[in-house]
Amino acid sequence: MPLPTVILPGYLENAIAYRQLEQSLQQLNFPTVTVPLRRRDWLPTLGGRPVTPILQQLDRTIKHTLQQYNATQVNLIGHSAGGWISRIYMGEKPYLGRGGVKPFLWEAHPLVANLITLGTPHISQERWTRFNLDFVTNNYPGAFHKNVRYICVAGKTIFGQRRPGSWLAYSSYQLTCGQGNTWGDGITPIAAAHLEGAENLVIEGVRHSPRSPGIWYGSAEPLKAWVQYLGSWQLLVILVGGRQRAEGRRQKSEGRKI
């Protein structure tokens, strides 16, 4: 029986945007639920303030999911900011955040079997997010918790340049990793989306958000690149058949670029 899976949306995003991904995973027999966030739930976190309200909703969702499926662990998928917020959730250090009054501690890494981050900026030069990300980096560098398997997925779609069509990507990459002329998913550069010690994947052609035009990390084809990490290899063979098994084995033998 596959572990239940919890999806944590990206910054300023709501759960509805992940309905297609949720349904795709359910069709592969992975019990899946998205943290029921609304866009207004992010408002208290604006301006670099603590992401405690999001962490509390994540905690409630995971605890409910564990009880519902009589499980001891979940797969946790964090899209964009949801990835580094998940790392705070797993950690052992009290989290206060800039302007916070009361520290919180979840220490939830024993509840997470696999953490998959999709287009997550694990570093940032942007002043509003740097405080939170520095907290994560300083306390939980790389694939910190040895009992958790980290899978970090990056997109190689747009090369940042100072010209029409790639100016937004350039600016976003510059704010994130300090270099605009690099590859990424249009928002997060590859250099920021990977962690030392993790299974680091690069998928060509995917855009950052489920609302982006074209395909994103949760679309049908890109999903094949990382869904195997949600369950055993043998289970994936049963779920998606021999053709995908052959493709997956070839990908693993040729490396991490997909």
Side-chain angles (χ1 to χ4, degrees):
M1 177 69 181
L3 292 175
T5 297
V6 174
I7 302 170
L8 181 59
Y11 197 64
L12 295 179
E13 195 53 273
N14 58 31
I16 296 174
Y18 300 84
R19 186 69 53 81
Q20 181 184 11
L21 173 57
E22 185 178 310
Q23 292 174 347
S24 296
L25 293 173
Q26 289 170 348
Q27 290 171 2
L28 292 174
N29 289 345
F30 291 99
T32 305
V33 62
T34 303
V35 179
L37 294 174
R38 301 160 298 180
R39 284 190 167 181
R40 63 175 176 266
D41 293 331
W42 293 95
L43 294 180
T45 74
L46 295 178
R49 286 177 287 181
V51 292
T52 306
I54 309 303
L55 286 156
Q56 290 172 326
Q57 290 211 46
L58 173 62
D59 184 56
R60 286 194 293 269
T61 301
I62 287 181
K63 297 290 178 57
H64 176 76
T65 301
L66 291 172
Q67 183 178 22
Q68 179 181 358
Y69 292 100
N70 193 28
T72 58
Q73 288 186 307
V74 300
N75 298 306
L76 182 53
I77 299 172
H79 171 236
S80 195
W84 58 259
I85 293 173
S86 296
R87 293 170 65 199
I88 295 177
Y89 177 66
M90 295 193 300
E92 304 93 343
K93 301 289 186 180
Y95 171 73
L96 182 61
R98 178 185 296 173
V101 177
K102 176 184 176 182
F104 288 84
L105 175 64
W106 291 272
E107 201 168 358
H109 63 92
L111 305 180
V112 180
N114 303 295
L115 172 65
I116 297 183
T117 66
L118 306 176
T120 292
H122 291 290
I123 57 174
S124 179
Q125 308 296 317
E126 204 275 322
R127 61 173 182 159
W128 300 119
T129 58
R130 188 165 181 172
F131 184 89
N132 280 315
L133 280 168
D134 283 351
F135 174 85
V136 179
T137 301
N138 293 336
N139 289 296
Y140 318 114
F144 184 79
H145 293 102
K146 303 308 178 186
N147 58 311
V148 178
R149 181 166 60 167
Y150 293 70
I151 302 93
C152 299
V153 188
K156 184 179 180 182
T157 307
I158 301 177
F159 187 82
Q161 299 180 78
R162 292 181 174 180
R163 68 180 190 185
S166 57
W167 181 265
L168 173 62
Y170 178 92
S171 300
S172 183
Y173 301 164
Q174 181 76 31
L175 280 173
T176 304
C177 70
Q179 179 182 353
N181 297 117
T182 188
W183 283 99
D185 63 13
I187 297 295
T188 301
I190 296 173
H194 287 166
L195 288 173
E196 183 177 355
E199 293 275 356
N200 291 314
L201 310 179
V202 176
I203 306 178
E204 296 190 0
V206 297
R207 291 182 175 266
H208 182 75
S209 168
R211 298 183 186 273
S212 300
I215 63 172
W216 81 292
Y217 295 97
S219 298
E221 286 300 313
L223 177 61
K224 296 176 183 178
W226 56 266
V227 69
Q228 59 184 285
Y229 294 98
L230 294 181
S232 70
W233 188 248
Q234 293 77 14
L235 177 61
L236 185 68
V237 171
I238 294 172
L239 293 176
V240 301
R243 181 174 178 273
Q244 178 61 24
R245 172 183 59 190
E247 291 176 353
R249 284 179 175 171
R250 183 169 67 252
Q251 290 163 1
K252 288 174 75 68
S253 65
E254 292 177 352
R256 298 291 179 256
K257 185 177 179 180
I258 300 168

